[in-house]
Amino acid sequence: MRIGLMSLLLALALLTSCEDFFMQEITDFDSGFTPQLSLFALLQPKDTLVIVDVRRTIASIGGDDSDENFRRSIPDARVTISDGTTTIPLTHNRSPNGHFANSDTLPDNFIHPGGSYRIEATHEALTASAMVAIPTDSIEREDINFVIGQETSGGFTEVTVTADIANLPGQEEYYVLITERSSAPDFRRRQRVLSDFLQGRANLGDRLAFKPVSLFEFNKTVIQICATDAATYNFLNLRNTAVTNADNPFAEPVILPSNVENGVGHVGGLNCQFFTFRR
């Protein structure tokens, strides 16, 4: 019976094109997929720019990856941040590719070490939210070192900054490096990038080095070196692995952890030291 069934399937594949046959199998596959909202944000004390990325998930099989609400932050989602007493709506802006609250809407010291905050997003019939606590401790400034380098190629000179930090003995700590760039004349338009993340372990030596940051073409670069927790580091590390493996059909599937209720993604807390470099 099993041999007969296999023969029937092969015969069907030969009578039609192989592509049509197997695409029909995929089309008929019922995954039970339900769309959800995906949230991503990293909150830090003294921040005057809170960015929350809100997207909608699609099915891994048969999903339309050209859906604008999957490819970039949903412009008409309703997004808020709350400390339990004050709730602030976040407006949408394509420039930082997300919903954000800037210094005009965010009260002074609204986000502070030890504070807890809820991010909530709603779009059509979908709602997702996440709670996050901000770490109480940050890296000591005297434990951070910078090395300035430059490389000339094709008549252009690229200036880089490499940060390294003390790897404290007997501890497993987690760190994030964020780069925020702006140029004259309007320094209020800022480009923020998650540049690197590290885990401190005893077998890595006395110092931990981040990837170099380029200062090319920007008048002002703010480097933020932040302490975070294991959950945020693990999410960033696994997300990086998933992106790396995306084009490899033989790679092991990566399941991303999530702290988002009724959705997926991660909202993490940071406690940062800020350093400004100008060209």
Side-chain angles (χ1 to χ4, degrees):
M1 182 67 182
R2 184 178 180 85
I3 295 176
L5 178 60
M6 289 299 297
S7 299
L8 176 61
L9 290 174
L10 288 173
L12 286 171
L14 291 172
L15 289 172
T16 62
S17 74
C18 288
E19 180 179 357
D20 291 343
F21 173 76
F22 288 109
M23 285 305 296
Q24 183 63 43
E25 290 295 305
I26 291 175
T27 302
D28 293 342
F29 175 72
D30 181 12
S31 65
F33 171 76
T34 301
Q36 293 179 299
L37 292 182
S38 170
L39 307 182
F40 178 71
L42 297 174
L43 306 185
Q44 54 182 292
K46 304 176 184 178
D47 201 4
T48 58
L49 181 66
V50 174
I51 302 175
V52 182
D53 188 83
V54 183
R55 309 190 188 203
R56 188 172 60 207
T57 61
I58 63 171
S60 59
I61 298 178
D64 180 11
D65 61 5
S66 66
D67 183 348
E68 288 297 301
N69 291 334
F70 165 75
R71 297 181 64 84
R72 55 178 54 89
S73 196
I74 304 173
D76 56 345
R78 181 179 180 272
V79 185
T80 59
I81 180 172
S82 174
D83 63 356
T85 302
T86 303
T87 299
I88 300 173
L90 277 63
T91 56
H92 183 267
N93 188 292
R94 287 277 186 198
S95 178
N97 194 29
H99 291 74
F100 71 98
N102 57 28
S103 56
D104 296 329
T105 57
L106 204 63
D108 291 340
N109 298 316
F110 179 74
I111 301 178
H112 57 83
S116 294
Y117 304 87
R118 176 179 289 276
I119 298 287
E120 185 170 278
T122 302
H123 181 249
E124 297 176 348
L126 302 177
T127 298
S129 63
M131 288 290 299
V132 60
I134 306 300
T136 55
D137 297 325
S138 63
I139 308 170
E140 298 294 336
R141 293 183 74 88
E142 55 265 28
D143 290 335
I144 302 172
N145 181 58
F146 292 97
V147 177
I148 308 295
Q150 64 179 33
E151 181 177 338
T152 301
S153 177
F156 293 96
T157 299
E158 180 182 22
V159 179
T160 61
V161 177
T162 302
D164 63 79
I165 58 179
N167 185 22
L168 302 178
Q171 299 186 44
E172 288 195 0
E173 303 291 344
Y174 305 90
Y175 308 101
V176 170
L177 188 148
I178 293 174
T179 305
E180 186 172 283
R181 299 181 171 99
S182 57
S183 298
D186 186 5
F187 285 105
R188 291 175 300 177
R189 294 183 62 84
R190 295 174 284 175
Q191 178 194 73
R192 181 174 291 180
V193 178
L194 174 64
S195 299
D196 201 7
F197 45 90
L198 297 173
Q199 177 184 358
R201 292 190 297 272
N203 63 339
L204 297 180
D206 296 334
R207 309 289 298 181
L208 300 172
F210 290 98
K211 297 175 182 176
V213 172
S214 175
L215 304 183
F216 181 61
E217 289 185 344
F218 292 91
N219 297 111
K220 178 182 176 182
T221 300
V222 178
I223 294 179
Q224 306 170 23
I225 299 181
C226 315
T228 190
D229 56 19
T232 297
Y233 172 85
N234 289 336
F235 177 84
L236 296 175
N237 191 40
L238 287 171
R239 187 180 70 167
N240 186 64
T241 301
V243 171
T244 301
N245 292 348
D247 295 327
N248 181 2
F250 303 105
E252 289 287 334
V254 176
I255 300 176
L256 292 179
S258 172
N259 65 353
V260 176
E261 300 175 19
N262 301 316
V264 296
H266 185 81
V267 177
L270 311 175
N271 198 336
C272 307
Q273 297 283 4
F274 295 73
F275 302 86
T276 300
F277 297 83
R278 296 180 184 270
R279 288 290 309 263

